[in-house]
Amino acid sequence: MDGYLPWSEAMDRALYGPGGFYLGPGGPAAHFRTSVHASDLFATAVVRLLREVDEALGAPADLAFVDLAAGRGELVSAVVAQLDGDPLGRRLRPVAVDLAARPAELPAPVGWLGEAPGGVTGLLLANEFLDNVPCDLVELTEDGPRQVFVGPDGTERLGPAPESDQQAWLDAWWPLAEVGERAEVGLRRDAAWRAAVGSVTRGVAVAIDYSHTRAARPPYGTLTGYAHGRQVQPVPDGTCDITAHVALDSCAQAARTAQPPASWTMLLTQRQALRRLGVAAERPEHAMASRDPRGYLRALARVGQAAELTAAEGLGGFGWLVQGAGVASSGILRD
C-alpha cells in the first residue's frame, strides 16, 4: 500500500527517525508531565529503592543506577543531587540512556549512552519507556485478523493478516473475540524489556508505565498521541508523541528468558510502590500551622504532590514491573 506502513514502522520513524519527536528540542517535558516532572518526591522514592537494592546486594563498591529512556536526564540528575555528600552517592555510578544528544546541563558524574550498558550491578529503571517502543496494530474483521497500516496523515487502512509470530503473541496474550476489536502487538516491547533485564547481572530492573494485563485488555486498544499537554490524534509525522499502554505481564514473561534471566517478579501499581517507599498524602498536624507557618505550607504542598503521584486514576495507576536477577527479593519494595 503506497505510503502506508505498519504502525510499528510509522512509530519508529515518527519518534526516533530524522526530525523525530523524541530527538527534538526540549524533550518530553515540553509536551507532557511525567512522575519525574510532577515532584522531586519521585526521585526521593527512587533513592529509597536504591538503598534497598544496595542493601540486598551487600553494599558493592560500585552501585549502578541506569535511567533508561532518560529524556533530558531529569530523574538521574535529581537522584545525584539528593545523594550529594551521602556515602551512597560516593559509590553510585549513574548512567542515563537515551537516543538524544547529551544535555549540556547534565551533572558531570552522569554517563550518557545510547543503549543500556551490560554487566549492571544495581538498579535499572525505565520510566515511561516501553509505551514508546513501537508496536503493530491488529484488528479483527469478518474475514479474520488483519494488520492496521497508517499513512503520513494518520489515516488507516487494513493490511494483510498478521505474521505467524504476531498471531502467536495474540493467541497467548491478547486474543480478539469480537469484530472491530483491536490489539497492540507487544513483540518489540517484550524484546526491549528482555534486553534491558539481560543487562542486569546482579540487581533489580523496574519498568513503569500505563499498562494492562490479560485479564483486562482494552477491547479497542490504547494507541494515541500527545502534544503540548493535550491528547491528540496519533499522526506519525514527528509532531506528537505516539504511545500505547503496555502488556506488562507479557514483558515479565519475556524477561524470564533473558540472559541472565529474571529470577523473581513483582507487579504493583505506582500507588502501591510509592507508598511502600514512603510517599504518602498525609496532611500535617494543624498545630504546625501556628508553630511553623512556612513549614506547614511546604508540608501541604508536599501532600498535594504525593497525592498526584499516587492518584489511582492518574499517575498512581501506572504499573510497576519489578524483576530481579542475582539478588534476593527480600527487602525490596516490601510492606
Side-chain angles (χ1 to χ4, degrees), residues 13 35 73 77 88 114 121 148 183 195 222 254 257 264 289 306 309 325:
R13 292 186 185 186
S35 297
S77 297
L88 178 59
T121 295
V148 179
T222 61
T257 64
W264 55 263
L309 289 172

Side-chain angles (χ1 to χ4, degrees), residues 20-201:
F21 177 82
Y22 274 95
L23 304 183
H31 293 270
F32 50 85
R33 183 178 175 88
T34 71
S35 297
V36 178
H37 309 120
S39 171
D40 61 2
L41 286 173
F42 188 78
T44 300
V46 172
V47 169
R48 288 172 179 158
L49 181 56
L50 268 169
R51 293 191 191 281
E52 292 182 354
V53 173
D54 183 54
E55 182 176 354
L57 290 170
D62 293 318
L63 181 73
F65 172 52
V66 180
D67 184 6
L68 184 59
R72 297 303 182 264
E74 296 94 338
L75 176 59
V76 69
S77 297
V79 167
V80 167
Q82 291 195 20
L83 287 173
D84 184 34
D86 187 289
L88 178 59
R90 290 192 285 272
R91 292 189 287 113
L92 192 69
R93 299 296 177 263
V95 177
V97 180
D98 204 275
L99 295 177
R102 180 187 177 101
E105 67 275 12
L106 195 72
V110 179
W112 187 268
L113 299 175
E115 60 183 19
V120 170
T121 295
L123 173 64
L124 178 145
L125 191 140
N127 184 51
E128 298 195 50
F129 162 58
L130 291 172
D131 67 314
N132 290 125
V133 173
C135 60
D136 284 306
L137 266 65
V138 171
E139 180 175 325
L140 185 60
T141 74
E142 292 183 353
D143 298 321
R146 302 275 294 277
Q147 294 183 57
V148 179
F149 282 38
V150 63
D153 62 353
T155 59
E156 294 179 335
R157 294 180 182 176
L158 293 176
E163 302 290 339
S164 58
D165 58 344
Q166 294 174 325
Q167 188 60 56
W169 188 93
L170 290 167
D171 292 341
W173 296 106
W174 198 330
L176 297 173
E178 303 287 341
V179 170
E181 288 187 350
R182 286 187 168 195
E184 292 137 3
V185 180
L187 284 168
R188 289 182 63 171
R189 294 163 172 201
D190 290 354
W193 187 241
R194 183 187 298 112
V197 173
S199 73
V200 180
T201 302

